[in-house]
Amino acid sequence: MKAQALHGHLDALLLAVLEQGELHGYAVIEALRVRSDGQLDLPTGTIYPALRRLERAGHVASSWSTVNGRERRTYRLTDSGRASLAGERAGWREFSATVGRFLDPAAPPPGPA
């Protein structure tokens, strides 16, 4: 799956990954890959700018740590990020239910207006 297909959803995915606990950048990329069964194999050039954008917005905080002798930036969700993620989830449920009315052949038609 290409990064373009995720337009508008990448931030929510990153917040959801960080909801599980703090991770360094490469671990965030790996978590996306694992949780999507390999469908989200996104490059660092997509993930790191998004993490920086989320940090500037106050949804993510970062700190430097040393892991196996290497300096790594570790990211964690803030209270603002948790609130943003809750909003993203509500929006996603509404969006997917609405689109599902058109694309899911098993979805019942809406009632009379």
Side-chain angles (χ1 to χ4, degrees):
M1 186 174 288
K2 303 253 185 237
Q4 282 181 304
L6 297 174
H7 184 70
H9 302 289
L10 180 59
D11 290 0
L13 294 173
L14 293 172
L15 294 173
V17 164
L18 292 171
E19 182 180 38
Q20 304 300 313
E22 64 181 47
L23 296 169
H24 59 80
Y26 181 77
V28 169
I29 294 169
E30 188 61 22
L32 286 168
R33 188 179 352 217
V34 168
R35 286 179 64 177
S36 70
D37 287 330
Q39 293 298 309
L40 299 178
D41 190 11
L42 301 172
T44 58
T46 297
I47 300 302
Y48 286 107
L51 287 169
R52 285 192 294 275
R53 184 177 60 252
L54 288 169
E55 188 170 20
R56 283 191 306 272
H59 300 319
V60 169
S62 71
S63 58
W64 287 97
S65 61
T66 303
V67 179
N68 296 327
R70 293 181 57 190
E71 288 289 315
R72 294 190 179 197
R73 188 172 221 139
T74 303
Y75 299 90
R76 68 185 174 285
L77 203 57
T78 64
D79 289 341
S80 172
R82 288 182 202 293
S84 179
L85 179 56
E88 292 283 350
R89 283 187 169 132
W92 174 255
R93 283 189 292 274
E94 181 180 342
F95 174 80
S96 61
T98 300
V99 172
R101 289 185 196 115
F102 294 91
L103 300 182
D104 184 358

